[in-house]
Amino acid sequence: MSNHVYKTIELVGSSTRSMEDAIQRAIGKAAETVRNLRWFEVMDTRGHIEQGRVAHWQVTLKIGFTLEEE
């Protein structure tokens, strides 16, 4: 395994379906513009309640990716 340098970004994914869907949406969107995604960490989870039920999820993620070598 070679040595790597990682950079992290913080994103908030949202979904009306689930926490997992919110995570997948955030990672999927990041993958459209950021190369070499390697890991994620859930930092925070929030939700919105309507009529006694969870109506919306928000998940804050830290996503790590490797920097390209020249």
Side-chain angles (χ1 to χ4, degrees):
M1 184 169 140
S2 60
N3 296 323
H4 294 286
V5 174
Y6 295 90
K7 177 160 181 64
T8 60
I9 56 175
E10 189 171 288
L11 301 173
V12 178
S14 63
S15 173
T16 56
R17 297 196 322 203
S18 68
M19 287 188 299
E20 183 176 349
D21 189 52
I23 293 167
Q24 293 288 359
R25 287 172 177 271
I27 291 172
K29 192 64 174 174
E32 291 177 11
T33 58
V34 179
R35 293 186 299 275
N36 305 318
L37 297 177
R38 297 291 184 239
W39 54 267
F40 73 94
E41 178 180 356
V42 174
M43 305 301 292
D44 191 28
T45 305
R46 291 176 301 283
H48 176 73
I49 300 169
E50 289 182 6
Q51 298 177 353
R53 300 187 70 150
V54 175
H56 201 99
W57 295 93
Q58 286 186 330
V59 180
T60 303
L61 305 172
K62 186 183 291 185
I63 297 178
F65 58 97
T66 54
L67 298 176
E68 293 181 349
E69 296 187 30
E70 296 181 17

